[in-house]
Amino acid sequence: MRPHTSRDGDLWGVHVRMKTYSTDTIRNVVLVGHGGSGKTTLAEALLARAGAINRIGRVEDGTTASDTEPEEQKRGISISLAVLPIEWEGHKINLIDTPGYADFMSDVEAALRVADLAVFVVSAVEGVEVQAEVVWRRCAELDIPRMVFVNKLDRERADFERTLEQLRSTFGAGIAPLELPIGQEAGFRGVADLLTDAAFVYAPDGTHTTEPVPDDLAELEHQVHDNLVEGIVVADDDLMERYLDGEVPSVEELEHTLAHGVADATVFPVVCGSAITGVGVDRLADLLGEIGPAPTDRPPIAVRAGDTEAEVKPDASGQPLAFVFKTIADPYVGQLSLFKVLSSTIKTDDQLVNPTSGATERLHGLFVLRGKEQTPVTEVVAGDLAAVAKLSATRTGDTLAPKGTPVTVPPFEPPPGVLGIAVKPRTQADDDKLASSLQRLQAEDPALVIERSDETHQTVLRGMGETHLAVVLEKLARKFGVNVDTEDVRVPYRETISGPAEAEGKYKKQTGGHGQFGVAWLRVAPLDRGSGFEFVDKIVGGAIPRQFIPAVQKGIEETMAMGGVHGFRVVDIRVECFDGKYHPVDSSEMSFKMAGSLGFREAMSKAGVVVLEPVSLLKVTVPAVYQGDVMGDINSRRGRVQGTETVGGGEQEVSVTVPTSEILRYAIDLRSMTGGRGRFTAEHSHYDVLPAHLVDKAKASLAAASA
Ligand SMILES: Nc1nc2c(ncn2[C@@H]2O[C@H](COP(=O)(O)OP(=O)(O)O)[C@@H](O)[C@H]2O)c(=O)[nH]1
Ligand SMILES: [Mg+2]
């Protein structure tokens, strides 16, 4: 975003005043689906049709209302969600355009948290693609009402029937077509509405005229109409009885019953059109108002206050409550928080508390966002979406509640951070700003995980994939002027001993006047994995004076941290100091620290050293057909299968332990192995002995690090 305040809204072009809508006339509609299916273009068409924009932008030109960030325009894809409200026939429809690529799923997740209906945009050319399947499964888990817009019917090789068949076989019986296309490919010019038995034929400006259904379609239309009516009336016993008695249900009755099925997420209407030619676009908007669930049609939201749970309904009465579903980091105006009002009405200058951070937040300027255009408002009713700038301590997923009522909505699940990259600031200035800038980026992007390891001395960014991480680095440079180089993530190898040994550590130095002298005899023995370090003082008879024994221990500990024989951190060793010598004048803490260090190194080499490698617990969830491939691949990565479990939806969860060094790029490999249908989590499990033939490779990574 460019510098601005909510007052100089003129910078943002059209200044639209929007009237206030009551909760039951609000529709929060998220556009979801695979990348390239036409979500952003459809949003643009809806905005234009509703008169919210004067000119239809194009994804290719970077001129759409939703793809406003340079990182989106450069790639021609949506990366973050965009809220795009339109006013349509007495309704305020808050469209939320979302990304369609797996790397940016966290914004889809955020949008699903506030949506009351998900419209799946499916290309009639490409059909049902993987990201549509992934989001459908997520919507089913969250019980979100769904419908489908079959898009691109104007394109060559578009096929409505084939797409419909695919929708049925992928998503099941609830799929209910409400329309049939009139004409094909370049000849696609309208839709036949199965509820009203009428045809809508479109002019180039996106308006339509109502006509009788064309003859060549009439027979099919009647048949599908009857199927649809039967499909709808079964949901209502009374209507069903009257239908069987020969009564023809009215369109209003059918719509009413259909709306119930949609709200219950048992019926998933399918409509069709083209976001480019505008066919079917206004019909979609009509339908969102007519059968799309209002916030009041959805189940109440579960909130927590300490140990107690409660439910919140989007009532005008009750306490003001808001949920922050998205944060945008702006280097000039600070952060912008997008929120949904869960209950009551929120007004300018309201003071609410963020129970998570404990901060009291005053909501200075409230505004409605449309893409990046801001329109100031004075109040926001329950169920509606709006934004506020400059909250002091509120992050994505936080709740804003009245003072004294510390309720919170369940936060987002932490993202898996499946792919890592290490970053190195280029200059001192970059270094100074790196940590704080990353923190601000993380506030807008909950899928970004930042780790600083003092074992490998790396700052590691973890994200959802290569494109996600590339975008993070671009934003870091663009928004905060911080430039970094990248390198592979290093694995924190460690070393330990394979047997017992003893050695003398002797430090003696005679330079000019007063010298250094200390001798410590050490006995080392391996400890169980994960035990760390144990120091045993076995000195008797004052062979080393009491006050110098801690120095021996310190010398050993520093050597372990600095790196042992191979240069890796040393662990799981017990050291006994059982004898020594001192000099009444030359001995000092310094000389015994050195003696401890020297004796320890000597004892380690005598004992024999093994390198340890971190092992991860990996849980891979894939459709059952990929299970064999996944297990075979894990074997080739020195992994061990721990078990498999059926997790529902035809998916299997495979648990394996596998050396961490073998799965650094697993996010990329699993995606290509499963066509994007697999997902996984990985966490550190334990350390295990690195096979001897791999030690040189491990040391090479360390050498590269210190180069
Ligand atoms: N012919 C045709 N092209 C479309 C249609 N909808 C989208 N497109 C094109 O498909 C490409 C991807 O569209 P976009 O809106 O970015 O898809 P998104 O990734 O789902 O947001 C762009 O080149 C659009 O111009 C349509 O209905 N017909
Ligand atoms: Mg898009």
Side-chain angles (χ1 to χ4, degrees), residues 35-36 38-41 59 66-67 76-79 97-101:
K39 299 175 289 299
T40 299
T41 309
V59 173
S66 51
D67 292 352
I77 65 168
S78 308
I79 285 173
D97 185 24
T98 63
Y101 293 92

Side-chain angles (χ1 to χ4, degrees), residues 33-42 58-60 67 76-78 97-98 100-101 121 149 151-155 273-277:
H34 201 80
S37 57
K39 299 175 289 299
T40 299
T41 309
L42 178 60
R58 283 162 38 99
V59 173
E60 284 76 11
D67 292 352
I77 65 168
S78 308
D97 185 24
T98 63
Y101 293 92
V121 180
F149 183 80
N151 189 32
K152 298 196 186 179
L153 280 161
D154 61 302
R155 283 252 322 252
S274 162
I276 288 283
T277 66

Side-chain angles (χ1 to χ4, degrees), residues 144-163:
I144 294 177
R146 279 149 272 169
M147 64 176 286
V148 180
F149 183 80
V150 176
N151 189 32
K152 298 196 186 179
L153 280 161
D154 61 302
R155 283 252 322 252
E156 250 175 65
R157 291 190 299 279
D159 189 331
F160 179 73
E161 299 226 339
R162 181 188 62 210
T163 310

Side-chain angles (χ1 to χ4, degrees), residues 374-390:
Q374 306 179 353
T375 306
V377 292
T378 50
E379 58 175 56
V380 189
V381 301
D384 206 353
L385 310 181
V388 62
K390 296 191 175 132

Side-chain angles (χ1 to χ4, degrees), residues 217-549:
L217 201 63
E219 196 182 326
L220 176 65
E221 201 273 340
H222 287 307
Q223 187 190 331
V224 191
H225 167 86
D226 290 346
N227 286 348
L228 175 66
V229 171
E230 277 158 24
I232 294 174
V233 295
V234 292
D236 182 326
D237 290 345
D238 174 51
L239 196 61
M240 177 76 166
E241 214 166 291
R242 287 189 281 128
Y243 178 73
L244 292 177
D245 286 345
E247 189 182 320
V248 179
S250 71
V251 172
E252 289 70 31
E253 273 178 320
L254 289 174
E255 265 181 12
H256 181 78
T257 311
L258 184 64
H260 274 287
V262 173
D264 293 347
T266 50
V267 179
F268 313 114
V270 178
V271 294
C272 56
S274 162
I276 288 283
T277 66
V279 173
V281 169
D282 57 354
R283 296 272 313 143
L284 173 65
D286 284 344
L287 216 55
L288 295 177
E290 286 158 10
I291 62 166
T296 37
D297 296 325
R298 302 290 314 289
I301 291 167
V303 296
R304 295 191 137 275
D307 286 339
T308 50
E309 282 203 10
E311 288 188 333
V312 172
K313 285 191 203 135
D315 287 340
S317 60
Q319 307 239 43
L321 202 65
F323 175 68
V324 176
F325 63 98
K326 170 80 184 166
T327 304
I328 301 170
D330 187 309
Y332 302 103
V333 297
Q335 77 175 34
L336 233 52
S337 306
L338 278 61
F339 62 88
K340 182 179 191 179
V341 178
L342 302 181
S343 77
S344 187
T345 298
I346 285 186
K347 298 192 171 73
T348 306
D349 287 333
D350 272 358
Q351 272 194 44
L352 295 174
V353 171
N354 177 341
T356 308
S357 67
T360 300
E361 302 278 21
R362 182 187 279 274
L363 311 184
H364 285 296
L366 295 177
F367 48 88
V368 166
L369 266 187
R370 178 182 286 146
K372 64 178 177 181
E373 165 201 311
Q374 306 179 353
T375 306
V377 292
T378 50
E379 58 175 56
V380 189
V381 301
D384 206 353
L385 310 181
V388 62
K390 296 191 175 132
L391 296 184
S392 62
T394 296
R395 300 172 60 102
T396 306
D398 286 352
T399 307
L400 297 172
K403 221 185 188 108
T405 313
V407 297
T408 54
V409 178
F412 290 91
E413 289 190 12
V418 288
L419 187 69
I421 192 157
V423 295
K424 269 204 314 213
R426 281 197 192 143
T427 65
Q428 186 59 46
D430 291 328
D431 198 6
D432 294 343
K433 286 190 290 181
L434 181 63
S436 64
S437 306
L438 281 177
Q439 231 169 32
R440 290 173 69 182
L441 274 185
Q442 197 183 30
E444 84 169 21
D445 181 1
L448 174 65
V449 182
I450 302 157
E451 290 168 3
R452 172 75 212 162
S453 160
D454 52 352
E455 195 162 346
T456 59
H457 307 290
Q458 283 187 312
T459 298
V460 173
L461 308 184
R462 288 189 193 284
M464 305 298 289
E466 281 177 307
T467 315
H468 178 211
L469 292 172
V471 167
V472 167
L473 299 185
E474 284 169 34
K475 282 190 182 170
L476 195 60
R478 173 173 67 87
K479 293 192 171 190
F480 302 102
V482 176
N483 291 292
V484 296
D485 292 315
T486 62
E487 53 188 21
D488 289 342
V489 175
R490 285 195 286 274
V491 169
Y493 293 103
R494 293 178 176 174
E495 53 187 272
T496 189
I497 49 176
S498 49
E502 54 179 65
E504 178 192 40
K506 180 173 185 178
Y507 188 61
K508 187 176 174 186
K509 209 166 179 191
Q510 208 62 61
T511 43
H514 138 33
Q516 296 279 359
F517 183 83
V519 174
W521 275 91
L522 304 176
R523 190 176 287 138
V524 297
L527 287 179
D528 287 343
R529 209 70 75 225
S531 332
F533 173 56
E534 222 177 281
F535 181 79
V536 187
D537 171 9
K538 282 273 178 78
I539 296 293
V540 286
I544 299 175
R546 285 266 76 86
Q547 72 269 27
F548 294 140
I549 293 174

